[in-house]
Amino acid sequence: MRAANQSHVQRQHVFWALLCLVLALMPHASRFSPWLLVCFCTLAAWRVLGEVHLLPLPTRAHVWLWILKQLLALAAFTAIYISYQGQIGRDAGVALLTALLGLKMLELNRERDYYITMFLAYFLVVTNFFYSQTLATAAFMLLIVVIVTGRLISFNAPGSSLGPLRSVRLDSSYVAQAIPLMIVGFFLFPRIPGPLWGVEQASSAAVTGLSSEMSIGHITELGVSDEIAFRVAFDGAVPRAQDLYWRGPIMWHTDGRNWSAGDVGDGPAVTFFGEGPVYRYSVTIEPHYERWLFGLDAVTQFDGDARHTSDGRLLSKNRIRQRQRYTLESQTDFKFPTITDSERQAALELPTNFHPLTHRLADSWRATSTTDAEIVNKALAHFNREPFNYTLTPQVLRGDPIDAFLFDTREGFCEHYAAAFVTLMRAAQIPARVVTGYQGGEFNSLSDYMVIRQRDAHAWAEVYLDPLGWIRVDPTGAVAPERVSLGISRALPQRSRLPILGTDFGSVHLLRGVGDLWDAMNYNWSQWVLGYTPKRQQQLLEDLGFENWHYANLVFLLTTGLAALMALIAVLVLRSRPPRIDPAFVAYALFCRKLARVGFIREPSEGAVDFANRVSRIRADLAEEIESITKLYTMQRYAEVETSASQLIYRVRRFKPRKL
Amino acid sequence: MSTPAAAPTAQILITLNRKRVYIFPSKHGIMLAVMVFVILLGSVNYDNALGYLLSFLLFGLFLIGVLHTYRNLTGLSYVAGDAKPVFAGSDATFKVTIENTADWQRYNIHLAHRPGLSNRWRRRRSIVRAEIATIKPRSIATMNLTLAATTRVSLHLTRVRISSVFPLSILRAWGYFETPLQCLVYPQAIGQLAMPLDVHAIGESNVGVSQGNDDFAGFRPYQAGDPIRTIAWKNLAKQDPVLVKRFTGGGSSAVRLRWADTAVLGDTELRLCQLSHWIVEAERLGLDYALELPELTIDPNSGSAHCHACLSALALY
């Protein structure tokens, strides 16, 4: 028992609150500047030492320490302002919150402070979501909510009246009951599209994936990454492996060494003339902080805020800052006849006085050929016939990279071949461009969708042949056809196979199964949680039988759903269980029966102690036994602490009074 | 309401049920609600799926909290109560016994005195201390509720608010017990007048004289107003506390504490306080004393029952 009003928070609760804060901040640890981390830890340590009276805390009793604390606060805010250049963004906000919490730890004295701290621990979890929204983050959120809620429950059962075991049970059942409500709220709360106020650009996010520039060697880094670029769920037929070209940025310009996209192909949409089967599919794309949307060549239908460019790319209106889902239609047999003058010019451009050997080779082909198509075939035949090697770890190209590759090292991977091929074509006056993107994809063994990883990044070429239009030419296929038909992990020699989760050969089947399961979970997570847009909500509503998506319908569904769940949980929670018979009571009744057999009958109004005294006075031989049993019984029944009845039961069983 | 200091009865007077339990977010609950709203707003703006999840999880905890807070309070019964009489100006402690008939434990049960809305503020200030208790399954708990007894007569504990913020302190459930409890408040035992030990004027019946000059009967501490001649000068010289010699005479030793003797004080309350003081003194000294009020006379006697009877008479005057 304790006094009700404004008591000081007990030491154990202070420690727990500190622990909760530290736990909630943990995912941020790697994102903070080290000084902030040191600052926070120092403040936490100060509080802990103060709590065990090894250091004074900055109360008004210690004016100098109090002033020191104020100065510390000022210093922290200034440091944050300077290190984030005065921008109140995501990172600065989290840093500021951390500094405030560090200072708050020093004045966690009253009940109110305790609650503020614990609620802020809930809030800290949110800051994490700006950086990561994976399943693991969700699990972490749940963990923090369970811990913080558990501590709040303990805090609200003062004294030791709530044992740790019961506390955990209560806590987990409490959170478990809230989860169905969470699910209903999540799906039925009316989703409003678009931001309510300005959202700043995520600038410091790490970028993986393709880029708008290509310098030889870039795709190698992607080539070893198992990170998922996007997932594709086909609605119906699946294209053949050799048709799985996912179009990305297109490289028009080159300085002989580096390739870049520029804005040549940014013109308005093209018309593809699709033939053959139509593939319908939805793509769930991972954030890459650019605007490209990947689609199977060639996309004929798309939805949402996207547009087609004149070189056939699909661009999102906004940067892809979080996982997104879009639906496309493609036809892998297509004609792409459009070319503008500026495009033709850019597609023939080569740096002057570069690649002399390449120019000589191209000129010789031009001299002996009558059509452009013949030159293309000659080039492919050249790659095939000459000893070119496909490897992810080529030698460094010195001097003129294209000449060195074509005539000296003769080993490389897709971008070497694509760049060399396009250079050859341009040298032979055939318009050509490098297309980057992904090639291939892998079906998840547990679920019906395809995963495209960063290591599936690929570069190929397109040449413009009159009158056919743009034709895809994959020179890598001429060297290593299995790269195109089987995917990258089979195209490589044994020793340079990819890290474990990327491989699919024998010994790691189990690991692959686990990996697939994890990925399947992630896929559903992104489908149902991250990709749950207003549009999907509308679809859900239609599936539930509501013709029109209307806020009123949603509000109606939401309240009905919540009320129904609450009623159900109320029945479960408030249900009165049949009274459990106290084992101590049963044991004592047996004890009384045994005494009754030897002639001592307990009066209805007689208390246990009185009865024991009465019997003991007459039967001194039993007195000791009776006294200890009675003591155990009264402790069981009336003491504050909960003990096991086993000792009592044992003693009563052994109690064998004999008649005198 | 009329029975003073109701004797504990086994009869259950009131049981909290659905109609008697009220629930409203507490101060902390409102704080959390604001925070959840901010999270939700942020989630809408940044289209953050996990933000939505967390805000609805916390919202769910809030809703579930209603059930659990209610469950912690419902089914509790007011069983009995008791309060020992106190003097005005001190604290009256009401012992309130609450029974938990259910098979789950009740945590953080808090009692408070909440009479009607009219003079709530004044009464709220009068709460000195309230205990927080845990009530085990199928058991009773006696909780102390301490109020300041400011004025004489009696202190009524008309309405007891029983409340709890368990489990998260974000919601407060409460209910009221209309209790018949009252605590008798004696007038404050203060006064400057000397006890009327000198009794010659009263006569010598066996109920009268409490002090004569005949036989030495011991010492007692000096009080303002004691006749100088009764002071034990010898003892004083030995630097003992100032004592007064006591003598018994007339075969009987009873003081008569009379309303009339306090006339010099004028004000009724002051006179009652003075009488109260005398009674306490007489009881402490182990004297027999009688009380004479205008319409009531209590025969001389001593002991706690007699003391209570006399003080009650003053309290209810």
Side-chain angles (χ1 to χ4, degrees):
Chain A
M1 302 208 177
R2 76 188 167 136
N5 41 6
Q6 287 301 314
S7 56
H8 274 257
V9 177
Q10 286 169 3
R11 182 180 297 174
Q12 54 151 340
H13 293 301
V14 172
F15 288 159
W16 270 107
L18 296 189
L19 193 67
C20 286
L21 286 186
V22 170
L23 270 177
L25 272 174
M26 217 120 88
H28 286 304
S30 59
R31 300 178 193 124
F32 286 149
S33 340
W35 66 263
L36 186 61
L37 217 59
V38 169
C39 210
F40 188 83
C41 292
T42 311
L43 289 170
W46 187 358
R47 180 63 212 233
V48 170
L49 291 176
E51 202 56 42
V52 295
H53 305 298
L54 287 175
L55 264 181
L57 286 172
T59 52
R60 295 203 183 245
H62 299 89
V63 175
W64 287 109
L65 286 178
W66 188 79
I67 292 172
L68 176 70
K69 194 192 80 182
Q70 308 300 322
L71 287 176
L72 215 64
L74 197 68
F77 297 148
T78 316
I80 287 167
Y81 185 83
I82 291 167
S83 60
Y84 292 98
Q85 282 112 40
Q87 290 174 340
I88 304 299
R90 173 186 69 177
D91 298 352
V94 175
L96 202 65
L97 189 63
T98 306
L100 278 171
L101 275 172
L103 293 164
K104 184 78 199 163
M105 288 194 294
L106 290 180
E107 46 193 45
L108 201 168
N109 298 322
R110 309 225 158 252
E111 248 179 39
R112 194 172 146 270
D113 304 324
Y114 178 80
Y115 284 108
I116 290 176
T117 311
M118 294 309 257
F119 293 164
L120 281 176
Y122 282 137
F123 190 80
L124 270 182
V125 183
V126 183
T127 58
N128 205 16
F129 302 158
F130 288 119
Y131 299 91
S132 159
Q133 292 203 67
T134 60
L135 253 179
T137 315
F140 173 77
M141 167 190 95
L142 206 60
L143 178 78
I144 295 292
V145 169
V146 167
I147 291 176
V148 173
T149 309
R151 291 328 299 167
L152 283 174
I153 292 175
S154 276
F155 188 77
N156 274 291
S160 56
S161 57
L162 189 67
L165 197 74
R166 196 183 288 188
S167 164
V168 167
R169 224 174 56 194
L170 209 63
D171 174 31
S172 44
S173 77
Y174 199 61
V175 175
Q177 285 160 15
I179 284 176
L181 295 173
M182 170 185 83
I183 293 169
V184 167
F186 182 81
F187 285 111
L188 296 180
F189 179 80
R191 291 306 181 91
I192 304 151
L196 303 173
W197 65 84
V199 180
E200 99 282 4
Q201 301 283 332
S203 51
S204 60
V207 179
T208 51
L210 296 177
S211 86
S212 54
E213 291 188 350
M214 181 176 93
S215 47
I216 309 282
H218 176 69
I219 286 180
T220 349
E221 291 156 31
L222 297 179
V224 294
S225 165
D226 257 336
E227 236 173 281
I228 289 170
F230 54 95
R231 298 177 175 84
V232 181
F234 283 99
D235 183 11
V238 178
R240 294 172 303 169
Q242 61 261 43
D243 288 334
L244 294 172
Y245 281 88
W246 309 95
R247 199 180 189 86
I250 290 170
M251 307 294 154
W252 290 92
H253 305 291
T254 176
D255 60 359
R257 179 176 293 276
N258 303 308
W259 292 74
S260 61
D263 53 5
V264 177
D266 281 352
V270 296
T271 326
F272 288 112
F273 297 102
E275 289 164 11
V278 176
Y279 300 105
R280 280 184 54 85
Y281 55 98
S282 64
V283 178
T284 308
I285 193 167
E286 297 293 317
H288 55 59
Y289 303 95
E290 295 286 353
R291 291 168 58 205
W292 312 306
L293 298 174
F294 300 101
L296 197 59
D297 254 356
V299 175
T300 48
Q301 287 284 334
F302 55 91
D303 63 357
D305 283 337
R307 71 179 184 92
H308 243 153
T309 61
S310 64
D311 55 5
R313 288 167 299 149
L314 205 55
L315 285 185
S316 165
K317 194 174 154 205
N318 299 308
R319 287 174 191 271
I320 311 296
R321 254 180 265 103
Q322 41 186 275
R323 220 174 266 189
Q324 246 179 49
R325 190 170 177 275
Y326 50 90
T327 314
L328 300 175
E329 267 182 36
S330 290
Q331 281 169 294
T332 50
D333 278 342
F334 61 94
K335 285 207 170 65
F336 190 176
T338 51
I339 187 167
T340 62
D341 286 345
S342 61
E343 280 176 353
R344 186 184 289 276
Q345 198 185 336
L348 287 171
E349 202 178 66
L350 277 179
T352 46
N353 304 326
F354 240 68
H355 323 309
L357 298 174
T358 310
H359 273 284
R360 199 176 306 157
L361 181 65
D363 289 345
S364 73
W365 288 341
R366 169 57 74 192
T368 56
S369 306
T370 48
T371 61
D372 288 353
E374 217 179 315
I375 296 175
V376 172
N377 284 331
K378 275 188 174 149
L380 287 177
H382 178 79
F383 283 128
N384 196 354
R385 200 178 53 238
E386 300 291 319
F388 280 95
N389 262 330
Y390 181 79
T391 171
L392 278 183
T393 50
Q395 296 174 47
V396 179
L397 299 170
R398 295 176 197 286
D400 188 321
I402 301 294
D403 279 4
F405 169 70
L406 278 176
F407 300 100
D408 184 16
T409 66
R410 295 190 171 183
E411 59 176 34
F413 46 91
C414 55
E415 64 181 21
H416 296 84
Y417 290 99
F421 180 81
V422 170
T423 310
L424 274 170
M425 288 305 108
R426 290 186 180 185
Q429 298 302 310
I430 301 170
R433 59 193 183 194
V434 177
V435 183
T436 62
Y438 297 88
Q439 199 278 320
E442 202 174 10
F443 265 98
N444 184 296
S445 60
L446 296 176
S447 196
D448 198 20
Y449 64 91
M450 188 179 265
V451 179
I452 287 87
R453 297 173 192 275
Q454 292 299 355
R455 61 177 158 83
D456 294 317
H458 192 50
W460 60 92
E462 277 181 344
V463 291
Y464 192 84
L465 300 179
D466 272 327
L468 297 169
W470 292 102
I471 303 285
R472 181 200 306 138
V473 180
D474 192 346
T476 314
V479 181
E482 64 277 14
R483 165 66 185 89
V484 178
S485 56
L486 294 177
I488 191 163
S489 51
R490 297 225 182 142
L492 294 171
Q494 201 73 359
R495 64 183 158 78
S496 59
R497 293 257 167 162
L498 296 166
I500 263 180
L501 283 180
T503 56
D504 52 359
F505 50 93
S507 60
V508 283
H509 258 310
L510 182 70
L511 265 175
R512 190 179 148 78
V514 173
D516 276 1
L517 179 69
W518 175 243
D519 195 66
M521 280 165 68
N522 263 309
Y523 178 71
N524 282 312
W525 173 253
S526 55
Q527 289 293 290
W528 284 103
V529 179
L530 302 183
Y532 191 72
T533 52
K535 209 161 155 192
R536 293 214 79 183
Q537 189 174 46
Q538 184 180 353
Q539 204 171 5
L540 182 78
L541 216 60
E542 277 165 14
D543 292 348
L544 288 174
F546 286 83
E547 286 296 309
N548 320 318
W549 185 88
H550 196 271
Y551 287 116
N553 284 343
L554 272 176
V555 170
F556 169 74
L557 266 180
L558 181 66
T559 43
T560 322
L562 288 180
L565 270 178
M566 278 291 281
L568 186 70
I569 296 168
V571 168
L572 292 175
V573 167
L574 301 174
R575 162 194 59 178
S576 192
R577 273 150 287 189
R580 187 175 54 100
I581 293 163
D582 191 344
F585 187 78
V586 174
Y588 188 73
L590 177 64
F591 169 75
C592 288
R593 280 202 302 280
K594 282 181 173 180
L595 279 178
R597 276 203 291 268
V598 295
F600 296 101
I601 296 162
R602 188 179 160 212
E603 299 294 329
S605 63
E606 200 168 25
V609 177
D610 293 338
F611 180 52
N613 289 342
R614 178 162 69 90
V615 179
S616 298
R617 269 200 300 277
I618 301 166
R619 291 290 300 268
D621 57 320
L622 298 175
E624 203 179 316
E625 199 91 24
I626 289 171
E627 195 199 341
S628 64
I629 288 174
T630 307
K631 201 169 158 198
L632 280 172
Y633 171 66
T634 47
M635 262 175 56
Q636 271 292 309
R637 296 284 286 180
Y638 306 113
E640 279 289 312
V641 283
E642 253 177 69
T643 51
S644 155
S646 56
Q647 177 74 2
L648 174 68
I649 294 166
Y650 174 73
R651 296 294 282 274
V652 170
R653 277 196 194 137
R654 270 193 9 173
F655 180 63
K656 299 231 158 61
R658 248 169 279 156
K659 251 190 176 140
L660 280 179
Chain B
M1 287 261 212
S2 53
T3 43
T9 55
Q11 195 188 358
I12 292 171
L13 293 180
I14 293 171
T15 301
L16 292 175
N17 60 20
R18 207 172 58 238
K19 285 178 191 160
R20 291 178 191 271
V21 176
Y22 309 93
I23 293 185
F24 199 74
S26 67
K27 210 168 55 191
H28 302 133
I30 291 167
M31 213 153 79
L32 183 68
V34 169
M35 196 188 81
V36 170
F37 184 71
V38 168
I39 296 177
L40 183 64
L41 216 62
S43 308
V44 171
N45 192 54
Y46 292 91
D47 192 23
N48 194 306
L50 275 179
Y52 275 116
L53 275 183
L54 181 65
S55 45
F56 290 118
L57 182 62
L58 294 180
F59 178 68
L61 282 180
F62 222 106
L63 286 185
I64 294 294
V66 174
L67 295 178
H68 286 259
T69 314
Y70 167 75
R71 180 180 188 260
N72 196 39
L73 211 59
T74 186
L76 288 181
S77 309
Y78 167 80
V79 179
D82 190 13
K84 288 209 166 66
V86 290
F87 288 96
S90 60
D91 296 338
T93 300
F94 289 89
K95 289 192 179 304
V96 179
T97 303
I98 306 290
E99 183 176 18
N100 175 14
T101 50
D103 60 347
W104 58 82
Q105 190 154 328
R106 315 304 183 108
Y107 303 92
N108 210 341
I109 301 294
H110 179 254
L111 289 186
H113 181 214
R114 286 282 185 280
L117 286 167
S118 53
N119 46 6
R120 183 173 195 158
W121 180 76
R122 191 166 60 83
R123 293 297 174 89
R124 184 177 251 176
R125 275 169 56 96
S126 72
I127 294 181
V128 175
R129 200 165 52 251
E131 275 175 347
I132 288 175
T134 301
I135 310 178
K136 295 178 79 178
R138 293 176 307 281
S139 68
I140 56 168
T142 300
M143 299 171 68
N144 292 333
L145 180 60
T146 307
L147 304 184
T150 44
T151 50
R152 121 189 120 84
V153 186
S154 68
L155 186 60
H156 291 262
L157 190 67
T158 49
R159 220 153 71 115
V160 175
R161 192 192 73 171
I162 180 165
S163 66
S164 176
V165 290
F166 187 82
L168 294 185
S169 195
I170 52 179
L171 292 151
R172 169 174 284 114
W174 74 95
Y176 296 103
F177 292 134
E178 304 281 348
T179 66
L181 289 183
Q182 60 180 8
C183 174
L184 200 61
V185 182
Y186 305 143
Q188 205 167 359
I190 47 164
Q192 297 298 315
L193 298 185
M195 211 188 295
L197 299 170
D198 212 325
V199 289
H200 288 296
I202 303 167
E204 47 286 304
S205 76
N206 58 343
V207 287
V209 188
S210 68
Q211 189 162 0
N213 292 339
D214 307 346
D215 303 315
F216 178 66
F219 298 103
R220 66 163 180 80
Y222 171 81
Q223 286 177 312
D226 276 338
I228 289 174
R229 61 189 161 86
T230 60
I231 290 175
W233 294 108
K234 279 180 192 160
N235 295 57
L236 186 63
K238 282 188 272 176
Q239 297 189 329
D240 279 351
V242 187
L243 294 177
V244 177
K245 281 180 276 186
R246 292 175 62 221
F247 301 93
T248 52
S252 154
S253 57
V255 231
R256 279 200 94 77
L257 307 171
R258 298 187 312 170
W259 176 253
D261 289 346
T262 57
V264 61
L265 294 169
D267 178 56
T268 310
E269 291 305 317
L270 285 180
R271 292 170 77 174
L272 287 170
C273 288
Q274 182 62 62
L275 283 170
S276 174
H277 180 64
W278 284 344
I279 291 169
V280 172
E281 270 305 294
E283 182 64 27
R284 192 172 61 79
L285 294 169
L287 303 174
D288 279 1
Y289 51 91
L291 181 68
E292 279 181 28
L293 292 174
E295 284 168 5
L296 179 82
T297 303
I298 298 175
D299 291 341
N301 202 342
S302 67
S304 59
H306 176 65
C307 180
H308 171 66
C310 294
L311 289 171
S312 305
L314 294 182
L316 300 171
Y317 179 76

